[in-house]
């Protein structure tokens, strides 16, 4: 049995739509084992939206590797242990895709390179900003090309924390992408290019004072915030409590705030405020560090199957 640990991820990071994302220390475990025949899929906590047949996302990701290398297990047992909440904008699907590809590659003897796995995952997800940090960890700047992903990984220092606000309702990425406009004004494109490059420079040089300006966005948040009634209240609460920027996590509905070493004061201020605010949804709140490892082997136990 091979056990793989794969991190959650938060994409866009404000202005970097489809090209920036960070892995977070919140994990799913994917356990896979070759068996004599058939496909057995279990998951905990069990969720009715998680398929237990060949439609399962982890299985579908594994199959892209088997198709690519031309090797197939006789049968497969997959057990999923899910800590990453589904459909909250924290990369649950990307964790399945990148973790499944990583586990399948281990099962077939490591035939694919890291670059090939990164490309397969981004192609399957349709954008590289969740799947790439889920695969390799860190804060990633990534562009999906025809046959590869061009990316840079930045190892995030522990002093930078990610405050995550998770509401009690779901918002699918597919729906949140479909509501975006087909065309935008030239000045809005220029606005986001500037903030995304400023973010990349500020985060990699440690100039966190620039982050509130660098995390502004006009490409996706103005449209998606209409689906999240408490969006402005949570963002303003975060900024007033000392966050270095606050924005939608991926396609939402979760919201992320960047916090530096004064995070304990921030945490207390936010918890006090959340308890007394008049909000539409119930919000879970946690502070996470970035994960800088990505998908890793959690454990390997010799299989009972004799080839
Ligand atoms: N942990 C999981 N195990 C199996 N399938 C999953 C899991 N997470 C997501 N999926 C599959 O992927 C589909 C999309 O998942 P989800 O809605 O979480 O992704 P998303 O909309 O991209 O949001 P997120 O950014 O949270 O992943 C789900 O309908 C489900 O079939
Ligand atoms: N860049 C993607 C991230 C989804 O998690 C989007 O915003 O649709």
């Amino acid at each position: 049995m091979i056990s793989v640990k794969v991190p959650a991820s938060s994409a866009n990071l404000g202005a970097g739509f489809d090209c920036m994302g960070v892995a977070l220390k919140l994990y799913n475990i994917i356990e896979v084992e070759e068996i004599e025949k058939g496909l057995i899929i279990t998951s905990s906590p069990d969720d009715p939206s998680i398929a237990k047949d060949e439609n399962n996302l982890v299985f579908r990701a594994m199959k892209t590797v088997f198709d690519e290398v031309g090797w197939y297990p006789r049968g497969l047992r997959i057990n999923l242990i899910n800590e990453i909440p589904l459909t909250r904008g924290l990369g649950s699907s990307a964790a399945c895709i990148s973790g499944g590809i990583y586990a399948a590659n281990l099962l077939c003897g490591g035939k694919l390179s890291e670059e090939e796995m990164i490309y397969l995952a981004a192609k399957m997800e349709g954008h590289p900003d969740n799947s790439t940090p889920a695969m390799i960890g860190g804060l990633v700047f990534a562009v999906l090309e025809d046959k590869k992903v061009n990316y840079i990984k930045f190892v995030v220092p522990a002093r930078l924390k990610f405050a995550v606000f998770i509401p009690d309702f779901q918002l699918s990425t597919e729906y949140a992408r479909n509501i975006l406009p087909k065309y935008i004004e030239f000045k809005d494109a220029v606005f986001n290019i500037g903030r995304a490059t400023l973010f990349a420079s500020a985060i990699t040089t440690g100039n966190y004072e620039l982050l509130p300006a660098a995390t502004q966005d006009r490409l996706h948040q103005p449209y998606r915030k209409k689906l999240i009634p408490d969006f402005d209240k949570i963002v303003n609460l975060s900024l007033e409590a000392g966050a270095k920027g606050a924005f939608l996590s991926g396609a939402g509905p979760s919201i992320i705030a960047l916090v530096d070493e004064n995070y304990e004061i921030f945490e207390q201020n936010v918890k006090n405020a959340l308890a007394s605010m008049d909000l539409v949804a119930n919000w879970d709140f946690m502070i996470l560090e970035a994960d800088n490892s990505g998908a890793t082997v959690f454990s390997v136990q010799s299989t009972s199957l004799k080839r």
Side-chain angles (χ1 to χ4, degrees):
M1 170 84 77
I2 294 174
S3 298
V4 167
K5 185 171 87 164
V6 55
S9 55
S10 181
N12 301 332
L13 303 176
F17 184 79
D18 272 11
C19 65
M20 300 200 295
V22 64
L24 298 171
K25 287 188 175 178
L26 179 67
Y27 299 95
N28 284 353
I29 304 284
I30 298 173
E31 297 174 335
V32 298
E33 180 179 26
E34 183 178 10
I35 55 178
E36 281 296 346
K37 65 180 170 53
L39 175 61
I40 301 170
I41 300 178
T42 50
S43 76
S44 67
D46 201 3
D47 184 307
S49 74
I50 295 178
K52 299 295 186 309
D53 58 15
E54 298 200 347
N55 296 311
N56 178 277
L57 185 58
V58 172
F59 173 77
R60 288 194 289 122
M62 296 184 77
K63 192 171 177 305
T64 65
V65 174
F66 302 145
D67 292 343
E68 186 74 16
V69 304
W71 177 89
Y72 296 86
R74 294 180 198 170
L76 204 51
R77 184 198 323 275
I78 302 173
N79 182 45
L80 305 171
I81 302 166
N82 296 326
E83 265 192 4
I84 305 167
L86 277 77
T87 324
R88 292 315 198 286
L90 289 171
S92 175
S93 57
C96 291
I97 292 169
S98 292
I101 287 170
Y102 186 84
N105 197 43
L106 287 169
L107 210 52
C108 69
K111 293 182 169 63
L112 295 182
S113 68
E114 184 171 79
E115 306 303 319
E116 288 169 322
M117 290 195 287
I118 287 171
Y119 172 67
L120 269 186
K123 193 173 74 170
M124 185 168 178
E125 172 103 316
H127 43 89
D129 49 341
N130 283 104
S131 58
T132 308
M135 186 71 80
I136 61 173
L139 194 153
V140 173
F141 308 98
V143 176
L144 175 57
E145 309 284 6
D146 281 350
K147 294 279 178 224
K148 65 176 181 174
V149 173
N150 281 324
Y151 68 92
I152 294 281
K153 169 182 174 179
F154 172 67
V155 176
V156 183
R159 67 178 273 240
L160 184 64
K161 313 282 185 198
F162 298 79
V164 188
F165 298 82
I166 308 171
D168 59 354
F169 65 91
Q170 297 187 336
L171 175 56
S172 93
T173 295
E174 186 182 5
Y175 180 78
R177 287 178 82 86
N178 289 340
I179 61 154
L180 296 178
K182 294 268 177 288
Y183 303 97
I184 55 163
E185 292 201 38
F186 189 79
K187 63 182 174 59
D188 291 340
V190 171
F191 182 94
N192 267 60
I193 292 172
R195 273 75 185 170
T197 45
L198 187 64
F199 179 90
S201 314
I203 210 83
T204 50
T205 59
N207 283 294
Y208 295 169
E209 295 319 306
L210 290 172
L211 290 176
T215 48
Q216 301 301 310
D217 156 73
R218 288 186 185 167
L219 291 193
H220 63 107
Q221 290 180 140
Y223 310 96
R224 289 170 165 173
K225 63 186 280 189
K226 295 170 188 164
L227 306 170
I228 305 159
D230 299 324
F231 180 83
D232 285 334
K233 283 186 179 176
I234 298 287
V235 166
N236 294 336
L237 157 65
S238 299
L239 295 173
E240 284 155 19
K244 302 293 183 198
F247 38 80
L248 203 58
S249 179
S254 298
I255 293 167
I256 294 258
L258 302 178
V259 190
D260 61 13
E261 51 270 324
N262 304 317
Y263 72 94
E264 280 133 340
I265 300 167
F266 172 87
E267 188 171 24
Q268 201 49 57
N269 291 343
V270 164
K271 281 181 176 171
N272 294 341
L274 276 179
S276 60
M277 285 172 78
D278 177 21
L279 297 170
V280 172
N282 295 312
W283 292 81
D284 276 342
F285 168 69
M286 63 180 81
I287 291 190
L288 299 174
E289 288 183 1
D291 165 280
N292 286 308
S293 306
T296 53
V297 178
F298 194 58
S299 75
V300 179
Q301 289 135 21
S302 58
T303 176
S304 52
L305 182 70
K306 295 288 173 275
R307 269 202 170 274

